Each structure stands twice: as C-alpha cells, then as structure tokens.
Amino acid sequence: MGKIIALANQKGGVGKTTTTINLGASLAVLDKKVLVVDADPQANASSGLGIDIRDVKLSIYECLINGNEAKDAIISTEVEHLDIIPSHIDLVGAEIEMLNIENREQLLRQVLQPLKELYDYILIDCSPSLGLITVNSLTAADSVIIPVQCEYFALEGISKLLNTIKIIKSRLNTSLEIEGFLMTMYDSRLRLANQIYEEVKKPFRELVFDTVIQRNIKLSEASSYGKPALLYDAESKGALNHIQLAQELIEKNKKRK
C-alpha cells in the first residue's frame, strides 16, 4: 500500500511545487513508483513535469466533479516510474461546484484510494490557500510535508496551517500526521537562514528534515524547461538536495514500519 503525502503551506512562494516535482523525480530514480497529483489550479506541477495543459483531456477536476476514474487521468512523465494526474484552470471553480456535493471534503480521498496499491508514494501539490481543495488534499493524505522558506516571516502563517491540520485530524482524518517541516531556499551564507532553521527546530525538533533545500537557480530553470532538476542538471545543488530528501523520507518510513 502506497503512502499519500500532501505538500501544503498557504503561504505562496515557499517551494511547494518545486519540492513536489523534484522529490517525486528523486523517489522515482530511487526505484519507487510515484504519482504526483496536481491539486493547484495554476497547474505548475503539471507544466513543470513537461505536460502541455492545453492538451489535457482529463484532469483532477473531472475526477472530482464529474466522477471520472483517476486511473484514466494518469499521464506518464519523462522520468521512469513517475506519473502525474494534471490540473486545469477549471479547478478554480471546483470549490463552488463542490459545495452542493455530499461529503465534499472526502472527494479526493475517494478518487485516490484505488491508486494506493499501484504506487509507493502519491504526492499532492496543494494550492497556496486553505480552501476546500486543500482540505480535500489533507483529508486524503496519510501525512503532510510543510515547506518553510528560510526568511524572516517564515513562521508567520504556520500556526494557521497547524490549526487547520488539527481540525482535519479531529473531524475528517484521524490518522493524518506531519511528515516533516522542510526548510527551502536556504542560503548558508546568511546568518538569518541559520537562525530561522534553529527557530523552527526548537518547537518541532525531530519533525524538521535534516535535509535543507538550498537556494539554487538551476531549480527554477529546470521547471521552466518542464523538467525536474535531475534531468536538467543532475550535478546541481537542487538535484542533489532532493535526492538526499528522498533518501531521508524513505529511511524515515522504513523505521516507522
């Protein structure tokens, strides 16, 4: 049975999509079968993995709203063992359309449940909001990775997200766990980056990943070419950081079994 991990933080620009794409590719290179679910209407994870969203016939939107089967929406990527269910701009209106559907918070869980036996990891790229689609993602997930940017206002908003996780855990998904806090856009030359890492480490201790994702131009360049960093420049810091993260995640989950 695979594990569903949501990558969430309602603060935009913290590296959620970049992490989803590159962690997914790194896990796949380490021989894990991985599915990325793009649950963000901006569809950046889809285009970042080389999908032309204008050609997409079936997206996560049709699965949620029209009841299409998720396996029919799966597209293979350039990376062996890495698939994606793409997103679409239509997802913007999905929150309103879902309001009249019974058990609306459980829709994504129902969509993804049949796929758990086909993959080792299913990574959900959440949108930068705490709306109904993100609530669906957290309800469907076994755990959540919270990317935190190494900057002054990093901790702002985390309490809001943690509160949402707490509510979802008590009402919708009792088994939801925090997989870990991931420090992104880390610049070791800045004292501030080290201070913020320590500040996050204090209350959350072993929940903070040892791996940090360093600030790296190759990561954003790779996405603009529709490739994970591993295919764009396998020797880049960004590619190596995510391989390290994937190894840490696999090890962490081995210990839990």
Side-chain angles (χ1 to χ4, degrees), residues 64-250:
L64 290 170
I65 304 302
N66 302 341
N68 286 75
E69 284 203 35
K71 62 175 173 42
D72 297 332
I74 294 171
I75 300 173
S76 302
T77 72
E78 230 182 311
V79 182
E80 200 183 348
H81 305 314
L82 178 63
D83 296 337
I84 184 167
I85 294 181
S87 183
H88 195 275
I89 191 67
D90 288 351
L91 202 57
V92 169
E95 303 222 344
I96 295 161
E97 293 176 69
M98 285 160 83
L99 290 175
N100 300 321
I101 301 175
E102 213 179 321
N103 291 332
R104 56 182 179 267
E105 300 89 358
Q106 308 277 356
L107 292 174
L108 190 58
R109 176 189 268 172
Q110 290 159 13
V111 165
L112 297 181
Q113 210 57 37
L115 302 179
K116 279 187 91 168
E117 57 198 33
L118 305 178
Y119 293 95
D120 297 306
Y121 291 96
I122 296 175
L123 305 179
I124 309 174
D125 184 30
C126 299
S127 64
S129 79
L130 292 177
L132 192 49
I133 301 284
T134 300
V135 168
N136 259 269
S137 302
L138 294 171
T139 304
D142 298 304
S143 66
V144 54
I145 289 176
I146 303 169
V148 180
Q149 189 179 349
C150 285
E151 51 134 64
Y152 188 66
F153 295 112
L155 296 174
E156 220 176 66
I158 283 189
S159 56
K160 210 174 181 180
L161 176 62
L162 292 177
N163 199 37
T164 303
I165 291 169
K166 198 173 161 186
I167 292 165
I168 286 168
K169 201 172 158 66
S170 66
R171 297 185 193 165
L172 296 164
N173 181 3
T174 49
S175 56
L176 181 65
E177 298 293 339
I178 292 175
E179 190 72 47
F181 292 84
L182 174 69
M183 306 309 290
T184 62
M185 301 175 199
Y186 183 85
D187 188 338
S188 54
R189 296 167 305 175
L190 300 178
R191 208 163 70 204
L192 179 68
N194 296 309
Q195 282 171 349
I196 286 159
Y197 182 81
E198 291 309 321
E199 214 171 302
V200 175
K201 195 93 178 159
K202 247 181 266 169
F204 301 117
R205 294 190 185 89
E206 71 285 351
L207 281 178
V208 181
F209 283 102
D210 293 332
T211 306
V212 294
I213 307 299
Q214 287 161 290
R215 200 174 272 284
N216 180 239
I217 192 74
K218 289 286 197 310
L219 277 175
S220 30
E221 274 179 16
S223 295
S224 68
Y225 283 95
K227 292 176 185 294
L230 270 172
L231 292 186
Y232 182 71
D233 182 349
E235 295 301 308
S236 66
K237 253 185 203 158
L240 298 172
N241 286 165
H242 283 94
I243 281 282
Q244 196 182 337
L245 175 64
Q247 287 167 332
E248 189 178 346
L249 182 68
I250 292 167

Side-chain angles (χ1 to χ4, degrees), residues 33-67:
K33 274 193 73 58
V34 186
L35 175 69
V36 166
V37 178
D38 192 348
D40 184 350
Q42 293 174 74
N44 291 337
S46 305
S47 50
L49 281 171
I51 307 298
D52 187 339
I53 44 182
R54 293 167 301 186
D55 297 338
V56 168
K57 302 283 183 285
L58 270 186
S59 69
I60 195 66
Y61 169 82
E62 282 80 16
C63 299
L64 290 170
I65 304 302
N66 302 341

